[in-house]
Amino acid sequence: MTPAHITLDFAALQGQQFMNLITFRKNGQPVSTPVWMAQEGSRVYVMTGRNSGKIKRIRHTSRVQVEPSDRRGISRGPAVWGTARLIDGAQAQHADRLLTKKYGMLKRLFDLASMLRPNTRAYIEIVPAVGE
């Protein structure tokens, strides 16, 4: 059964600039990280470092929560259960284009700075969890 404060869709993320991506350690402890995100239909896309803790935790368990937040990670809405997976190739390129479209010049500056460290990015696709 889903707790009352957790919804099963991503409506709370619409129009938001940031969200908390909540991943879980092997012992079940949640780790919340504010991230940029781009939403397309029922999917949310996130870009992060290839060797980041959240990538390691998602490799362990794809079960995540997301919630709208400010840039510092202060929650601005309900948590949403989701299923995360790492994407690459054309899917990662699509996610990158969506993020560039949303964040514009700020994302382009980030891209320019990251040219010094190629192949260090990872992309995550998150869909609402079914039956939580």
Side-chain angles (χ1 to χ4, degrees):
M1 183 170 169
T2 302
H5 69 284
I6 297 177
T7 61
L8 295 176
D9 64 35
F10 292 155
L13 299 177
Q14 291 180 1
Q16 300 294 318
Q17 290 296 306
F18 298 92
M19 74 172 197
N20 283 329
L21 174 58
I22 304 163
T23 54
F24 297 90
R25 293 187 172 135
K26 289 180 183 179
N27 67 5
Q29 180 182 0
V31 179
S32 180
T33 308
V35 295
W36 283 354
M37 55 86 184
Q39 189 173 6
E40 183 178 58
S42 64
R43 300 175 189 291
V44 173
Y45 297 97
V46 173
M47 173 184 71
T48 189
R50 184 171 301 283
N51 295 317
S52 70
K54 59 187 133 332
I55 292 297
K56 294 172 186 175
R57 290 185 294 274
I58 287 169
R59 284 190 175 122
H60 175 260
T61 179
S62 63
R63 188 172 187 238
V64 298
Q65 290 181 341
V66 299
E67 64 184 4
S69 74
D70 67 12
R71 74 181 71 224
R72 294 172 305 177
I74 296 172
S75 178
R76 291 188 166 183
V80 180
W81 285 107
T83 303
R85 71 181 184 102
L86 304 179
I87 57 174
D88 57 15
Q91 290 176 317
Q93 290 173 357
H94 179 69
D96 190 70
R97 283 191 298 273
L98 290 173
L99 288 160
T100 299
K101 181 178 178 183
K102 181 173 182 177
Y103 294 98
M105 186 57 69
L106 189 57
K107 167 74 166 49
R108 287 184 181 93
L109 289 171
F110 187 82
D111 290 344
L112 185 62
S114 69
M115 289 176 67
L116 301 173
R117 298 174 293 145
N119 300 319
T120 60
R121 289 189 184 166
Y123 293 85
I124 303 165
E125 177 189 71
I126 305 166
V127 297
V130 179
E132 280 294 331

